[in-house]
Amino acid sequence: MKKIIAIFIISFLIISSIYAETIRVITPYLGTIENDMSKTIEGSSNGLSLKDNSLLKGLYLQSINPGKYQWNAFVYNSEDLNYSSLWGTHFIFDYYPGAKEKSEYVIGAGIEFIRMETKTDKIVPFSNFELSQDIYAPYLRAGKYFYFGENKIKYSLMPWLGLETDIIRGDIDFTIPGMPMPVTDIDDDSYYAIAGMNFKVTFYHFIDLKLKYHGKIDLKENDYFDIASSIINIYFNKSWGISYRAKYMKTAEMKNTYHIGGIVYAF
C-alpha cells in the first residue's frame, strides 16, 4: 500500500505539471477516527458492541483545471482500531461539459475502498477472533453546479443523482468455549440509487467552507445509508493554508466518523 501511495504521488506531480492552467493541492492530515463494527459482529456473536477510537493519518491530492475537470484522491490509515488495521481511499473524477457563467453540468465517476483486518484474543468470550473484509464501492453520478454571489463572497450549489455498487468480500472466524464455529465467508453485492447535495461558500478568496451530503437506497432491501462531510480551508497566501475535515460514513458493515486537520499546499 505504501508503494502504491508513492507511485500515485509521483504520477500526480508529473501528469498535473503538463497543464499550465491546472491547480494542484496536497494536504497531509492527522486526527482521530471512531469505528463501529457492531452490526458486523452482531450476526455471529450475540450482539457484542464493538466501538473504538484511534489515530488517523491521511493524504489528500487534488488537481483542478477550471471549467474542464477536477479529480481528487484521499488515502487514510489507522492502526489498533477495534483491534484492527484500517486502510481506506476514495478517488473521484468530475468532467464539466458546457461550462457557463452561472452554472455548469457535471459528469463524474468515483470509487470508495475500505480494507479492515482484525485479529485478537481480547474480545471476551471469543478466542482466535479474525475478521477480514474489503469493501469496494464504485459509482457514477451526474449533476449541475449553480453559482451565486459577488467577488468577495461566492456560493455554489450542486445537486446530483447517481448509481452505486457495493462489493463486500471477506471472512470471519472465531471460537466460543465448547462451541467451535466454522469460518464464515462474507460475500455480498448491493446496488444503490444515490442522491446528494454539495454546498460551497468562499469568503474573500481565502476561506472555503464545503458541506456535502448524500444518501443511498438499497434497490433490493430498501435499506438507507447516509454519508456527510464538512471541510474548512483557510489560506494565508496563494500557496499555504490549513484545513479541517470531518466525515461520517455508514455502510452495511460498519460506521466510521473522523475529524482531521492538516496543512494545505497549493501550486
Side-chain angles (χ1 to χ4, degrees):
M1 183 65 73
K2 293 181 179 179
K3 292 182 179 179
I4 294 175
I5 295 173
I7 293 172
F8 192 77
I9 293 173
I10 294 172
S11 301
F12 163 73
L13 294 173
I14 293 174
I15 295 174
S16 61
S17 66
I18 297 174
Y19 303 96
E21 296 181 357
T22 300
I23 302 168
R24 298 161 292 273
V25 178
I26 298 178
T27 311
Y29 283 100
L30 190 66
T32 62
I33 183 171
E34 179 184 87
N35 173 258
D36 182 357
M37 290 197 299
S38 299
K39 187 172 182 179
T40 300
I41 307 301
E42 183 178 10
S44 302
S45 61
N46 298 319
L48 174 69
S49 177
L50 198 58
K51 296 181 181 180
D52 194 18
N53 294 274
S54 188
L55 181 70
L56 180 69
K57 306 173 289 282
L59 179 66
Y60 178 80
L61 306 174
Q62 184 177 32
S63 180
I64 307 168
N65 192 312
K68 295 182 179 180
Y69 70 85
Q70 79 85 30
W71 65 260
N72 67 77
F74 182 52
V75 182
Y76 53 92
N77 165 251
S78 183
E79 301 294 336
D80 195 24
L81 177 67
N82 270 332
Y83 314 110
S84 307
S85 171
L86 170 70
W87 280 96
T89 184
H90 80 235
F91 177 82
I92 301 171
F93 178 85
D94 289 324
Y95 172 66
Y96 309 127
K100 299 180 181 180
E101 182 179 354
K102 293 296 183 180
S103 66
E104 60 185 349
Y105 290 97
V106 180
I107 299 174
I111 184 169
E112 187 91 27
F113 170 72
I114 298 175
R115 166 173 289 179
M116 203 156 191
E117 296 183 349
T118 306
K119 294 183 180 181
T120 183
D121 287 320
K122 297 182 179 180
I123 303 178
V124 179
F126 307 104
S127 60
N128 301 316
F129 182 92
E130 296 186 9
L131 170 65
S132 176
Q133 59 178 332
D134 293 337
I135 302 174
Y136 307 85
Y139 66 89
L140 297 172
R141 71 177 183 179
K144 188 175 183 179
Y145 273 109
F146 297 93
Y147 298 104
F148 311 93
E150 303 297 332
N151 291 330
K152 294 182 178 180
I153 302 178
K154 295 182 178 181
Y155 307 88
S156 70
L157 192 67
M158 187 186 81
W160 57 269
L161 298 172
L163 296 171
E164 177 179 318
T165 300
D166 283 12
I167 303 166
I168 304 171
R169 298 291 184 268
D171 56 71
I172 184 170
D173 181 26
F174 56 87
T175 301
I176 299 177
M179 186 179 172
M181 302 293 291
V183 176
T184 301
D185 290 333
I186 301 173
D187 187 347
D188 184 43
D189 295 345
S190 300
Y191 303 92
Y192 298 90
I194 55 177
M197 183 73 72
N198 295 358
F199 172 77
K200 177 182 176 181
V201 57
T202 301
F203 300 94
Y204 299 93
H205 302 285
F206 70 92
I207 299 178
D208 288 338
L209 170 63
K210 302 176 184 178
L211 302 174
K212 301 179 181 181
Y213 174 84
H214 79 269
K216 56 185 190 179
I217 300 175
D218 192 315
L219 296 178
K220 293 188 298 183
E221 305 295 334
N222 291 323
D223 292 331
Y224 181 83
F225 305 100
D226 48 9
I227 297 93
S229 65
S230 61
I231 304 167
I232 300 175
N233 296 325
I234 301 174
Y235 289 91
F236 304 120
N237 52 46
K238 291 183 178 181
S239 297
W240 293 97
I242 57 175
S243 178
Y244 164 79
R245 182 183 293 256
K247 188 170 185 177
Y248 167 82
M249 301 173 288
K250 184 178 180 181
T251 71
E253 299 298 306
M254 69 181 75
K255 292 184 288 186
N256 289 318
T257 304
Y258 63 68
H259 299 271
I260 51 178
I263 299 174
V264 181
Y265 177 57
F267 60 102

